[in-house]
Amino acid sequence: MSEKKRPMTNAFGAPVGGDLNSMTAGPRGPVLMQDAHLLEKLGHFDRERIPERVVHAKGAGAYGYFEVTADVTKWTKAKFLSEVGKKTDVFARFSTVGGEKGSADAARDPRGFAVKFYTEEGNYDMTGNNTPVFFIRDPLKFPDFIHTQKRNPATNLPDPDMFWDFLSLTPESAHQVTVLFSDRGTPATYRHMNGYSSHTYKWYNAQGDYVWVQYHLKTGQGIRNLTRQEAEALKGKDPDHATRDLYNAIEAGEFPSWTLEMQILTPEQAKDFKWDIFDITKVWPHAEVPPVTVGKLVLDRNPVNYFAEVEQAAFSPGNLVPGIAISPDKMLQARVFSYHDTHLHRLGPNYHLIPVNQAKNAPELNYQRDGSMRVDHGGGGGPNYWPNSMGGPAPDPSAQEPPFPLEGEAGRHEYAFDNDDFVQPGNLYRKVMDGQAREHLVGNIVEHLGGAAKRIQERQAAIFYKCDVDYGTKVAQGLGLDLERVKTLAAMSKDQRAEATS
Ligand code: NDP
């Protein structure tokens, strides 16, 4: 053996004598059961795959840091945000949502934008998307919604009928659908898109005063999108283009960065605010709530092993630190359960010990013990119960979120806020998009919606018409629909429209 080569071993460190020929009875076989090396190798291979994420399966990630650039201590007591110039290690993962682990990066889909901050008070996860809004505002609809974005149970094919049937029966999706079918639905790379918390969170300071906040991570590389035609070509030519782009940019020393801007509302401002601030289908208009720049995110180091560090990375909106809390947003409340639950299923009860998920800058000190793959000292010989008088770790009341009032009648309440689901998508179409952006939006919709049944096309075109007359008219014309029929449907209530198109 050359001096440079280290000896190969089995999983338990014993030397392996040969790794090309199975142990057989004579040169022509059969293979012997006693070939423990072969059995170990095949047994491990058979178990190489873990369940892929049910959403956000395809992704890429990198390490870096977050730096505070403005004093935010009047709003939050989070220690990692306590001083201008303070830096915190991060790991970020970008992803598509609906596709499988091998699907194309150029898919029309929201992009996940998750950042794990390894703070001295434990890990804080910001689990955002590249869009400021979402399709639905009630978590009970989430599994149904995702089913419609995936494959038909009979054909195993993507299905425009499923896709648009659900969306057209769920008019609160119009805002996100408009963003998704604009060219922002196909970002050029992960580096050339923004990240948004989309949800409202609570920040509270050392005195216990709180504000409502939304996070905007603005790309330092500038927004760049693909047209439908470019995205289609790229899906075939290089299905991993965004994964490659992120890795290569970092290897080349072109470290991508984002500026963190916060929108902040005091409880008093929130009371009279025009929009329901806990409705994730709405934004806070910039003119009414101007964003404040507070920090900078830089990614400057690639993972060494994709499986260990990206596939096993596990984020949860429930990973919070003192000074940051969740809001009553129903989708956010359900994500606090669902993300952790998914990781328990995919990675096991000790997923927090996987190095990328470990609280690197704060020791884990509690009485949770044992479980599958508890691979560290497991709490050693210390006490495994609380309360104890053995000097074990004790809760710190100052780490609690200040108490807050809650009231209301328990029930499955229909959404009843006096706030129109069609105004903001209409504003996006009318005020934000230029002629070319509108043309691309309508073209992207017509091509996709054109694959659905005519009655579903009519129902969805009516929703676009309700957002903006020109928008709905152009979609209807592009699909060759009867405009009068679309107008009639647009004038109906949601239930009447569903009835008239069923
Ligand atoms: P502004 O004119 O102040 O903001 C419009 C924002 O729209 C821009 O700042 C940009 O966000 C974003 N934008 C531009 N093109 C697109 C696109 N194709 N798809 C999605 N977003 C785009 O107006 P308002 O704040 O009054 O918002 C008007 C509409 O803009 C909203 O209804 C919403 O649809 C959209 N928007 C608003 C955001 C907000 O937080 N207020 C955030 C993003 C979109 P950015 O600067 O983040 O790149």
Side-chain angles (χ1 to χ4, degrees):
M1 190 189 301
S2 93
E3 270 181 20
K4 279 191 195 144
K5 283 195 181 151
R6 287 178 298 158
M8 181 189 288
T9 72
N10 69 9
F12 301 94
V16 168
D19 198 38
L20 294 176
N21 303 305
S22 304
M23 193 186 292
T24 52
R28 302 189 66 188
V31 173
L32 299 186
M33 275 290 283
Q34 72 181 66
D35 188 350
H37 175 57
L38 173 68
L39 300 187
E40 178 198 286
K41 189 169 175 180
L42 291 180
H44 194 275
F45 174 72
D46 294 348
R47 290 162 180 79
E48 271 184 11
R49 295 288 176 273
I50 58 174
E52 70 173 33
R53 293 166 170 87
V54 64
V55 285
H56 297 277
K58 174 79 186 289
Y63 297 94
Y65 64 88
F66 176 78
E67 182 174 354
V68 180
T69 57
D71 183 2
V72 294
T73 52
K74 66 177 170 196
W75 295 307
T76 177
K77 67 173 188 174
K79 286 205 177 126
F80 80 103
L81 298 173
S82 62
E83 249 178 86
V84 173
K86 187 161 185 174
K87 285 187 179 176
T88 300
D89 297 336
V90 302
F91 178 75
R93 181 175 182 269
F94 308 106
S95 52
T96 51
V97 179
E100 297 88 2
K101 200 171 166 297
S103 57
D105 290 345
R108 180 170 306 285
D109 209 0
R111 300 293 187 271
F113 193 126
V115 186
K116 189 179 290 296
F117 299 77
Y118 300 101
T119 91
E120 69 263 53
E121 295 179 292
N123 288 355
Y124 167 56
D125 293 349
M126 207 293 291
T127 49
N129 275 338
N130 73 326
T131 62
V133 290
F134 197 63
F135 299 89
I136 50 173
R137 56 183 158 236
D138 192 305
L140 202 51
K141 297 183 181 182
F142 188 76
D144 303 283
F145 163 64
I146 292 298
H147 288 169
T148 69
Q149 308 296 296
K150 291 198 173 250
R151 292 171 183 272
N152 179 294
T155 62
N156 200 35
L157 295 168
D159 184 337
D161 276 348
M162 284 166 57
F163 186 101
W164 290 105
D165 192 29
F166 179 87
L167 293 176
S168 60
L169 292 170
T170 311
E172 67 267 29
S173 63
H175 197 180
Q176 175 77 323
V177 167
T178 304
V179 177
L180 181 64
F181 280 84
S182 78
D183 286 342
R184 285 202 181 193
T186 48
T189 75
Y190 291 133
R191 294 183 298 133
H192 294 93
M193 63 184 203
N194 294 337
Y196 303 89
S197 64
S198 314
H199 298 290
T200 296
Y201 285 84
K202 184 197 270 182
W203 273 10
Y204 58 92
N205 65 17
Q207 289 72 47
D209 302 324
Y210 71 90
V211 287
W212 301 114
V213 299
Q214 294 208 338
Y215 297 58
H216 300 245
L217 283 153
K218 297 290 190 77
T219 172
Q221 293 64 244
I223 295 273
R224 268 183 46 205
N225 302 313
L226 303 170
T227 62
R228 171 171 86 254
Q229 295 79 1
E230 287 168 339
E232 284 305 318
L234 209 45
K235 280 205 276 188
K237 209 171 107 198
D238 185 2
D240 304 312
H241 85 277
T243 306
R244 184 188 323 286
D245 173 83
L246 181 68
Y247 191 91
N248 287 350
I250 293 174
E251 283 303 291
E254 290 168 27
F255 302 139
S257 67
W258 287 262
T259 304
L260 177 61
E261 297 178 2
M262 302 299 293
Q263 283 187 298
I264 297 171
L265 277 176
T266 63
E268 295 70 41
Q269 289 170 318
K271 255 189 234 151
D272 305 320
F273 198 58
K274 178 169 179 207
W275 303 102
D276 173 7
I277 64 165
F278 306 125
D279 173 2
I280 193 176
T281 70
K282 306 291 182 322
V283 295
W284 303 355
H286 289 133
E288 289 165 56
V289 193
V292 184
T293 300
V294 306
K296 187 177 167 190
L297 173 75
V298 178
L299 299 181
D300 59 6
R301 182 162 61 90
N302 276 318
V304 173
N305 182 281
Y306 182 86
F307 179 84
E309 295 160 87
V310 186
E311 186 61 9
Q312 294 197 112
F315 299 84
S316 170
N319 288 344
L320 300 164
V321 290
I324 305 178
I326 64 162
S327 73
D329 177 336
K330 297 172 196 177
M331 290 293 294
L332 176 57
Q333 300 251 331
R335 288 177 77 202
V336 168
F337 162 74
S338 210
Y339 277 57
H340 177 59
D341 188 52
T342 301
H343 305 320
L344 293 175
H345 165 63
R346 290 184 70 233
L347 303 166
N350 286 308
Y351 74 88
H352 60 290
L353 297 178
I354 297 169
V356 68
N357 300 325
Q358 240 172 7
K360 295 189 208 315
N361 295 320
E364 181 206 358
L365 296 169
N366 57 43
Y367 301 97
Q368 277 138 234
R369 291 289 185 274
D370 307 345
S372 172
M373 298 307 293
R374 181 87 214 192
V375 292
D376 64 352
H377 55 77
N384 59 0
Y385 57 92
W386 178 258
N388 68 67
S389 57
M390 309 290 178
D396 170 7
S398 77
Q400 288 185 94
E401 180 184 351
F404 52 93
L406 282 180
E407 58 178 334
E409 222 168 62
R412 296 191 185 279
H413 299 285
E414 247 192 89
Y415 191 77
F417 287 86
D418 182 21
N419 109 34
D420 190 324
D421 289 329
F422 310 108
V423 172
Q424 291 199 353
N427 285 343
L428 179 58
Y429 182 85
R430 281 184 295 271
K431 296 188 187 165
V432 180
M433 292 184 180
D434 61 16
Q436 190 191 50
R438 284 186 214 133
E439 196 187 303
H440 287 198
L441 170 73
V442 171
N444 295 340
I445 291 172
V446 166
E447 195 201 65
H448 198 285
L449 181 55
K454 193 169 167 211
R455 64 187 178 84
I456 297 174
Q457 292 180 14
E458 288 173 343
R459 197 195 294 144
Q460 184 66 44
I463 288 175
F464 294 135
Y465 193 88
K466 286 174 81 71
C467 296
D468 183 276
V469 168
D470 183 65
Y471 185 9
T473 303
K474 293 241 165 72
V475 170
Q477 285 168 346
L479 291 166
L481 300 176
D482 174 355
L483 188 58
E484 289 311 310
R485 164 87 175 145
V486 170
K487 282 187 198 171
T488 308
L489 290 171
M492 292 178 179
S493 73
K494 177 178 146 185
D495 291 342
Q496 287 168 338
R497 196 161 49 246
E499 181 67 30
T501 51
S502 59

